[in-house]
Amino acid sequence: MSNKNETLGKTLFVVVALCLVCAIIVAGAAVGLKPLQKKNAALDMQRNVLDAAGLLQPGTDVVALFEQRVATRLVDLTTLELVADVAGSNPTEYDPIAVAKKPGLGTKLAKADDTAGIGSRENVAKLYFINDTDGQLETLVVFIRGYGLWGTMYGLLALEADMNTIKGINFYQHMETPGLGGEIQNPNWVAGWQGKQLYGDDLTTVKIDVTKNITDPAHQIDALSGATLTSNGVENTFQYWFSDKAYGPLLDKIRKGELNNG
């Protein structure tokens, strides 16, 4: 009996020791790889921004082009003023989506206002200003997101200097059905957004419409075939983010030349 207990004890010791060693190795690897993961995530976002702005070409040196052309800025959506950092995070580090649900950093949306179905939004927006060779604002890229069929669709929208004409769009993360709602990443459908107008003549009313019956080419986008809920989700996303509840007042201020990349 004693020998059996000793054998069982040794077996348990070996199992526990192996578990501890494996846990230490995994934890060490996770800590060691974290800087690389953050670097890759930042590079991926830079690529997404350049793609939305129409600047990403085969062979592009993403880091060099981003550093040369893009200025990342933070703007308080209430005061419409530039801020240097948010809770210790500078513009490069700041993740607006991650803070949206945090007390003091995000705002819970009233159901009547939340057409995008996101629940809450960040108090400080992260913007990408892209200037031309003369230093004048050429493109503004902003984050957008809204609920589709299966989950939240995350995107970037690029606007020309008039803060009305769409230059490009990039839904870089979503859970929509491949071949149906997943077509929001289809280059042909994405290209259809170029040159569309966000607003009506008053530059206040959001006019973008995702529909199967195009009667107003300046403001309407072809709906995705067989993906009504995804198409509705995209339209609802625009209706929220470019209304006076989100980016509307900010875009108006930039349009008037009262806010630039600092």
Side-chain angles (χ1 to χ4, degrees):
M1 186 71 177
S2 176
N3 289 336
K4 287 184 179 180
N5 287 339
E6 288 180 6
T7 301
L8 179 60
K10 290 178 179 178
T11 301
L12 289 174
F13 174 79
V14 171
V15 170
V16 171
L18 283 174
C19 288
L20 287 173
V21 170
C22 290
I24 291 171
I25 292 173
V26 170
V31 172
L33 290 173
K34 191 171 183 179
L36 180 60
Q37 292 171 340
K38 291 179 69 174
K39 182 179 179 180
N40 287 338
L43 177 61
D44 193 45
M45 185 54 67
Q46 290 177 349
R47 185 179 290 109
N48 288 326
V49 171
L50 294 176
D51 185 36
L55 296 175
L56 189 65
Q57 302 296 330
T60 296
D61 185 331
V62 172
V63 174
L65 181 60
F66 192 91
E67 291 180 350
Q68 177 186 4
R69 296 289 307 276
V70 184
T72 308
R73 298 290 183 262
L74 305 180
V75 179
D76 189 304
L77 288 175
T78 299
T79 66
L80 303 183
E81 297 295 335
L82 292 169
V83 296
D85 65 81
V86 177
S89 295
N90 62 38
T92 300
E93 299 167 340
Y94 177 65
D95 184 345
I97 297 167
V99 307
K101 297 184 184 299
K102 294 183 178 180
L105 299 179
T107 297
K108 184 175 177 58
L109 301 177
K111 190 172 182 179
D113 296 332
D114 189 16
T115 55
I118 57 175
S120 60
R121 69 145 171 84
E122 57 277 13
N123 294 336
V124 175
K126 184 172 185 174
L127 310 179
Y128 299 98
F129 289 85
I130 303 175
N131 290 345
D132 60 22
T133 54
D134 295 324
Q136 299 299 310
L137 180 62
E138 179 179 87
T139 308
L140 179 75
V141 180
V142 299
F143 285 94
I144 59 173
R145 63 186 183 278
Y147 203 86
L149 173 60
W150 301 113
T152 302
M153 303 174 291
Y154 299 90
L156 292 160
L157 186 80
L159 293 171
E160 294 188 9
D162 63 1
M163 297 297 112
N164 187 31
T165 304
I166 295 174
K167 195 167 187 177
I169 190 170
N170 178 4
F171 280 104
Y172 59 88
Q173 182 180 331
H174 65 85
M175 299 171 62
E176 303 307 283
T177 307
L180 296 173
E183 292 296 285
I184 56 175
Q185 290 184 315
N186 186 311
N188 293 327
W189 188 76
V190 170
W193 286 84
Q194 295 174 8
K196 301 296 182 181
Q197 305 290 298
L198 272 179
Y199 299 104
D201 293 337
D202 61 0
L203 295 179
T204 301
T205 305
V206 182
K207 293 280 287 183
I208 280 292
D209 181 22
V210 184
T211 179
K212 293 180 179 179
N213 302 305
I214 304 295
T215 58
D216 179 8
H219 298 100
Q220 292 178 325
I221 309 294
D222 281 323
L224 296 166
S225 179
T228 300
L229 292 180
T230 301
S231 297
N232 291 344
V234 172
E235 181 175 332
N236 291 337
T237 296
F238 276 76
Q239 288 295 324
Y240 171 71
W241 283 104
F242 299 100
S243 70
D244 60 359
K245 304 297 182 183
Y247 291 141
L250 173 60
L251 297 184
D252 187 54
K253 185 171 183 177
I254 296 174
R255 187 183 298 117
K256 293 175 180 177
E258 297 172 359
L259 181 71
N260 55 39
N261 66 14

